């Protein structure tokens, strides 16, 4: 018998892997430097397999209109009467070109109603 045994409390900095974030670094820096950043974004094999997949009624519809169609991984991602097609010229992971046009309207401090 007796009362149930409980673990003795230990200080957080005694827990393996514990670190305390401070401005400018940590109290326990890693011994090895971290890996360098990659030159381009890393995507999984699954993402790569579907990067050019878009919905369309037929492949030519998806190919010719992919910039206006939904990106998909399978037919369930598409609207009714459309299917998921691959090998289109559109790349889902391509970076969009930034716009240079000014905002369309000046912001207001009060809500606007149509």
């Amino acid at each position: 018998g007796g009362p149930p045994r409980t673990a003795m409390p230990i200080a957080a900095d005694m827990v393996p892997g514990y670190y305390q974030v401070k401005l400018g670094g940590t109290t326990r820096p890693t011994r090895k430097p971290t890996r360098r950043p990659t030159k381009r974004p890393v995507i999984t094999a699954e993402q790569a397999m579907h990067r050019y997949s878009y919905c369309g009624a037929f492949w030519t519809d998806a190919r010719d209109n992919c910039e206006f169609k939904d990106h998909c991984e399978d037919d369930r991602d598409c609207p009714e009467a459309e299917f998921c097609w691959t090998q289109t010229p559109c790349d889902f992971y391509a970076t969009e070109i930034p716009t240079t046009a000014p905002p369309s309207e000046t912001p207001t401090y009060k809500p606007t109603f149509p």
Side-chain angles (χ1 to χ4, degrees), residues 81-94:
E82 290 194 358
F83 306 93
C84 188
W85 302 93
T86 191
Q87 299 180 353
T88 71
C90 295
D91 183 352
F92 183 70
Y93 295 102

Side-chain angles (χ1 to χ4, degrees), residues 20-69:
Q20 181 180 10
V21 175
K22 285 187 172 183
L23 293 177
T26 66
T27 57
R28 287 182 160 179
T30 58
R31 291 182 183 192
K32 296 180 182 178
T34 56
R35 291 176 43 183
R36 288 189 151 164
T38 58
K39 292 185 180 182
R40 56 190 142 131
V42 177
I43 60 173
T44 66
E46 176 102 9
Q47 290 170 321
M49 184 169 77
H50 299 293
R51 77 185 295 165
Y52 301 102
S53 299
Y54 285 84
C55 299
F58 350 90
W59 178 75
T60 53
D61 178 36
R63 178 198 65 194
D64 297 342
N65 302 300
C66 56
E67 53 198 48
F68 309 108
K69 298 287 187 169

Side-chain angles (χ1 to χ4, degrees), residues 89-114:
C90 295
D91 183 352
F92 183 70
Y93 295 102
T95 304
E96 291 289 328
I97 298 169
T99 59
T100 56
S104 56
E105 292 183 28
T106 305
T108 64
Y109 292 102
K110 296 179 182 177
T112 56
F113 300 95

